[in-house]
């Protein structure tokens, strides 16, 4: 029996970055990008509507920042594995993000293979 693809949502305010990331992800046969969001408010709404398996979340977003997105999602009954995909993060922010339910952190400067491994690992319930 074939496994269902991992349903992924990308939340980042940079359109070119989202486009490149989507292209990378859809080239993997076990991934499906089900949504994109350009700000935190849109991200929360789409997670509630579409219930993706994995949310790739930027910390620095307009309207509702990434940390607040995590806070809002942690209060709900939605189960989504969240990976912070960010340019920079402080150690205290990593701790806060994990306490709010994040499952991993990947820096945007990382090699693409690291992100792909992280998504697969987190979708199996691990931390990355």
């Amino acid at each position: 029996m074939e496994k269902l693809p991992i349903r992924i949502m990308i939340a980042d305010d940079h359109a070119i970055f989202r486009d490149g990331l989507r292209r990378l992800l859809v080239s993997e046969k076990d991934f499906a990008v089900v949504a994109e969001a350009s700000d935190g408010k849109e991200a929360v709404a789409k997670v509630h509507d579409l219930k993706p398996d994995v949310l790739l979340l930027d910390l620095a977003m307009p309207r509702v920042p990434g940390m607040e997105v995590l806070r809002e999602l942690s209060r709900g009954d939605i189960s989504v594995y969240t990976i912070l995909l960010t340019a920079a993060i402080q150690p205290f922010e990593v701790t806060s993000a994990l306490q709010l339910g994040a499952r991993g952190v990947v820096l945007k400067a990382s090699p693409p293979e690291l992100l792909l491994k992280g998504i697969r690992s987190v979708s199996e319930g691990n931390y990355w």
Side-chain angles (χ1 to χ4, degrees), residues 7-113:
R7 300 173 68 250
I8 302 167
M9 183 176 142
I10 303 166
D12 192 288
D13 58 324
H14 295 98
I16 292 173
F17 179 79
R18 280 195 321 270
D19 183 64
L21 184 54
R22 181 178 37 77
R23 290 169 190 256
L24 168 71
L25 296 174
V26 300
S27 72
E28 299 293 309
K29 65 182 181 344
D30 57 334
F31 293 164
V33 176
V34 295
E36 295 179 25
S38 59
D39 65 57
K41 186 173 172 106
E42 183 183 9
V44 170
K46 286 187 175 182
V47 166
H48 282 282
D49 289 346
L50 302 170
K51 298 171 182 53
D53 302 315
V54 175
L55 169 62
L56 300 177
L57 178 65
D58 186 20
L59 279 182
M61 284 197 300
R63 291 174 53 178
V64 178
M67 218 46 103
E68 188 56 36
V69 170
L70 278 174
R71 194 168 283 111
E72 287 189 35
L73 292 175
S74 73
R75 287 193 284 258
D77 57 350
I78 301 293
S79 174
V80 61
Y81 293 126
T82 302
I83 295 176
L84 295 180
L85 186 56
T86 188
I89 189 167
Q90 298 297 318
F92 74 90
E93 291 176 307
V94 173
T95 304
S96 297
L98 292 171
Q99 289 171 339
L100 291 171
R103 300 297 290 216
V105 178
V106 176
L107 293 176
K108 288 182 177 178
S110 300
E113 298 76 32

Side-chain angles (χ1 to χ4, degrees), residues 114-125:
L114 192 71
L115 176 62
L116 301 177
K117 281 183 185 177
I119 291 169
R120 290 182 179 104
S121 181
V122 163
S123 74
E124 293 170 357

